């Protein structure tokens, strides 16, 4: 029996970027970067891992403009992971925007001095995503 190679990408044979243009009209630069990366990777799972998303449905939802969550957090992760945007963290120094988002989710730990500093600094940091303070 011959196994067929599975084809990845949009099921209609189009590109992720074409789908983004259909759904968004004027595609934001970060959505375009996400769609291009998904096309390069050949699948959304790899792109999701690169961006630090939990699963591929986030990539699909953003490209197709159906993502039900907060786009500001997703945008920050894409800008850091794919567009190499950096910010100055009061604790870590110069870091990728995606790492900044990840650090904002770190819970306080008295046993870990770095986590304790991050927890305190993220609360008043200008880089903090609104309402997502540690």
């Amino acid at each position: 029996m011959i196994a067929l190679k599975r084809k990845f990408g949009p099921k209609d044979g189009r590109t992720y970027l074409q789908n983004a243009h259909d759904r968004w009209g004027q595609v934001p630069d970060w959505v375009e970067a996400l769609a291009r990366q998904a096309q390069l990777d050949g699948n959304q799972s790899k792109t999701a891992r690169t961006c630090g998303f939990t699963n591929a449905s986030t990539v699909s939802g953003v490209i197709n403009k159906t993502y039900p969550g907060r786009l500001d957090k997703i945008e920050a992760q894409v800008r850091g992971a794919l567009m190499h945007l950096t910010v100055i963290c009061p604790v870590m120094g110069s870091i990728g925007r995606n790492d900044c988002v990840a650090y904002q989710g770190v819970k306080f730990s008295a046993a870990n001095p770095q986590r304790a500093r991050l927890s305190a600094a993220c609360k008043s940091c200008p880089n903090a995503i609104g309402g997502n303070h540690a």
Side-chain angles (χ1 to χ4, degrees), residues 15 72 101:
T15 68
D72 57 346
V101 172

Side-chain angles (χ1 to χ4, degrees), residues 3-16 18-19 38-39 41-45:
L4 297 176
K5 184 175 181 182
R6 180 164 158 31
K7 181 181 180 277
F8 291 100
K11 293 184 179 19
D12 59 6
R14 298 165 39 97
T15 68
Y16 291 113
Q18 287 170 327
N19 287 347
Q39 198 67 41
D41 289 342
N43 68 72
Q44 296 173 6
S45 294

Side-chain angles (χ1 to χ4, degrees), residues 28-59:
D29 61 342
W30 63 274
V31 174
E32 184 171 324
L34 184 67
R36 288 185 187 281
Q37 189 63 47
Q39 198 67 41
L40 285 173
D41 289 342
N43 68 72
Q44 296 173 6
S45 294
K46 184 175 180 185
T47 305
R49 285 190 301 274
T50 299
C51 293
F53 304 148
T54 307
N55 57 52
S57 66
T58 301
V59 176

Side-chain angles (χ1 to χ4, degrees), residues 40-102:
L40 285 173
D41 289 342
N43 68 72
Q44 296 173 6
S45 294
K46 184 175 180 185
T47 305
R49 285 190 301 274
T50 299
C51 293
F53 304 148
T54 307
N55 57 52
S57 66
T58 301
V59 176
S60 177
V62 170
I63 290 171
N64 292 303
K65 202 176 178 182
T66 58
Y67 182 72
R70 294 182 46 189
L71 288 176
D72 57 346
K73 181 177 177 183
I74 301 300
E75 178 182 357
Q77 289 175 269
V78 171
R79 288 193 182 280
L82 302 180
M83 301 171 82
H84 310 292
L85 177 69
T86 60
V87 294
I88 302 300
C89 172
V91 176
M92 305 298 290
S94 181
I95 59 173
R97 184 67 172 121
N98 55 316
D99 294 327
C100 173
V101 172

Side-chain angles (χ1 to χ4, degrees), residues 96-110:
R97 184 67 172 121
N98 55 316
D99 294 327
C100 173
V101 172
Y103 287 133
Q104 289 176 44
V106 169
K107 301 293 181 207
F108 174 81
S109 170

